[in-house]
Amino acid sequence: TLEQPPTIADHKMRSRMEAGRARTLSGARPGPVHRGVGGCSRVRASTPAGGEPRTGPDAGAGLAEAEGNQQWKWKTRVKGIIPSDAAVYPAQDMCSRCGLCDTYYVAKVKDACAFIGDGMSRIDSLEEEVHGRQRDLSSPDEVTFGVHEHMAFAKLRPGVEGAQWTGIVTTIGVEMLRSGMVEAVVCVQSDPEDELKPKPCLAMTEEEVIAARGVKPSLSPNLDVLAEVEARGIKKLLFIGVGCQVQALRSVEKYLGLEKLYVVGTNCTDNGPREGLEKFLEVTSSNPDQVKHYEFMQDYRVHMMYKDGVTCEKVPYFCLPADQLTDVIATSCYSCFDYVNGLADVVVGYMGVPFEGPNVPMTKHFQYATVRNERGREIWDLLRRTERLVEEPCTREGTRQDFVKQTLVTDDDVQMGSKKSSPLPLWIGNILADVLEKIGPKGLEFAAYSLDYHVLRNFLLMYRRLGKERTYQHMPAYAKKIVESEDYRDIVAKQIAKGEKKGSPLDELARWVAALFSEK
């Protein structure tokens, strides 16, 4: 009989010190300590003396052998943080709840987290490791969209029933399992009691992948299944996730013992907790309880598809009360510079596709795909072999820079509290949306508009919150290039000066106290 893994009690005293030390690597303030193994996502995988992780039925014996192996010993000693409202994560308020710290990989958080230390600037070196080269900063498209070999507008015909779009990502997962390219897929199903609440899943069957179709627009701890991947002995894996999750995954990939890791990324913009999503829908929709999917489309409207699969409510951007929505977005998303998921093998998203007209629903609409490397080509070639993939060349029209600057100033003034948003009446908002859809940037130029704006907005927010030095430490080179470009450097400097002149309430209090004591 093989030796079974030690229980939590066997390691209790040893784990307490190690887990606590791992959680405070970033200098997080002391908080309640949460220890233990809860659920399959925190099953411990063991390691033999040779250095490769041992999973499956002989995991217990490997765990005992690992006691003398310093390289892998941390896996037997560290336990993840049990998620709860009281849990304190190393990245504190900048935590994106990616799930890494819910496993023993919390021991690697200092070097893996997208929001600690050098943060997203690590993307520069990770691109070299993942794709064989960094993005070409002399190429405007690579600055914006990242390393790529192929970009195309794409959709499936017929699509996947129940998907938000045509089911490209779902079909990739199904086909990779069916072909034997992978043994499992990390994806996100819905919580049984709340279909908009994400529930990460290690899918082993096609049915489990299909059950994960559709976007769940909330922070999701996808990485909390990593220990389960090891415990099940998975060697060929497909991971589906967003940028901050993928950066952490790439940073710990070498410890997973995988023979092949494929990563399909999705674009991610301004996410937040489930409660934030609820507030967004309540403020935006006339029937928030009926909304199942939504997207900010290139007709300058938010399209909200109802649960009946037929009704689509559309609200112009200009009719949204921006000052009521600043807190629905997570601080991590206000600190993100990787909306295009630059470390994935393939990325599938919407924001680069021209609006196809009011009568074309999302379930028949093109998305855009970015193939970054050889593994990405394998995935895309597999999808082509289904004979359901429709591709068209990417297009762009118009210029974005003036739109970016106008949007930035308007939004940043609201963020600083110097201006209240003034939502337009619906009928005026619809007229303005129609005009801008005709004269504004389209296709990839619209995507570049959105990306430039978010980079600049987040730079300003981080600059005010953390200071210039910490902000530049966190930013990847391509984000710095956008901020410092001739197109935007003047408007950025103007907004910085405007914020410094206004000051925060704490700054005003500090000046008042200083003046008081100087008089005495």
Side-chain angles (χ1 to χ4, degrees), residues 356-372:
E356 295 183 45
N359 297 321
V360 180
M362 284 184 269
T363 52
K364 295 184 182 299
H365 207 288
F366 277 101
Q367 292 177 277
Y368 84 108
T370 309
V371 178
R372 302 201 184 282

Side-chain angles (χ1 to χ4, degrees), residues 221-441:
N222 291 26
L223 296 175
D224 76 0
V225 303
L226 290 184
E228 184 181 359
V229 169
E230 295 181 82
R232 286 176 177 262
I234 302 298
K235 293 298 180 184
K236 294 182 290 183
L237 180 70
L238 168 63
F239 180 89
I240 302 170
V242 298
C244 58
Q245 299 165 353
V246 173
Q247 179 177 336
L249 175 67
R250 293 300 194 188
S251 299
V252 302
E253 179 179 349
K254 59 190 174 186
Y255 303 113
L256 293 173
L258 296 171
E259 295 173 3
K260 200 70 179 276
L261 172 63
Y262 296 91
V263 177
V264 171
T266 56
N267 291 147
C268 177
T269 306
D270 292 352
N271 216 333
R274 177 64 181 88
E275 300 76 32
L277 171 62
E278 188 169 346
K279 180 178 179 180
F280 170 78
L281 294 178
E282 287 175 354
V283 170
T284 305
S285 174
S286 59
N287 291 288
D289 293 339
Q290 295 302 311
V291 177
K292 185 173 183 179
H293 305 302
Y294 74 88
E295 183 59 79
F296 286 74
M297 302 284 279
Q298 285 201 20
D299 66 342
Y300 296 85
R301 294 175 176 88
V302 185
H303 289 220
M304 292 170 281
M305 180 61 69
Y306 284 10
K307 295 174 183 177
D308 63 12
V310 177
T311 307
C312 185
E313 182 182 3
K314 302 174 184 179
V315 178
Y317 298 170
F318 325 102
C319 300
L320 301 178
D323 54 347
Q324 296 181 40
L325 297 173
T326 56
D327 62 344
V328 307
I329 300 171
T331 304
S332 56
C333 296
Y334 278 136
S335 311
C336 179
F337 297 96
D338 188 27
Y339 289 139
V340 299
N341 217 321
L343 298 174
D345 302 318
V346 169
V347 182
V348 180
Y350 160 70
M351 63 182 173
V353 181
F355 183 59
E356 295 183 45
N359 297 321
V360 180
M362 284 184 269
T363 52
K364 295 184 182 299
H365 207 288
F366 277 101
Q367 292 177 277
Y368 84 108
T370 309
V371 178
R372 302 201 184 282
N373 55 36
E374 182 180 352
R375 292 179 303 279
R377 288 200 305 275
E378 291 180 50
I379 294 169
W380 206 244
D381 287 344
L382 178 69
L383 190 62
R384 283 170 171 161
R385 289 197 290 273
T386 65
E387 298 184 352
R388 294 165 52 205
L389 180 64
V390 180
E391 290 186 84
E392 290 188 0
C394 290
T395 61
R396 68 195 313 154
E397 185 179 329
T399 55
R400 66 188 184 275
Q401 286 78 6
D402 288 342
F403 283 81
V404 171
K405 288 184 278 191
Q406 184 173 352
T407 305
L408 178 69
V409 171
T410 301
D411 182 78
D412 194 48
D413 287 349
V414 171
Q415 290 280 353
M416 289 190 292
S418 60
K419 181 186 294 184
K420 284 185 65 67
S421 64
S422 301
L424 295 176
L426 192 61
W427 68 274
I428 296 179
N430 276 317
I431 292 174
L432 182 57
D434 287 341
V435 171
L436 290 177
E437 198 269 321
K438 297 289 189 294
I439 68 172

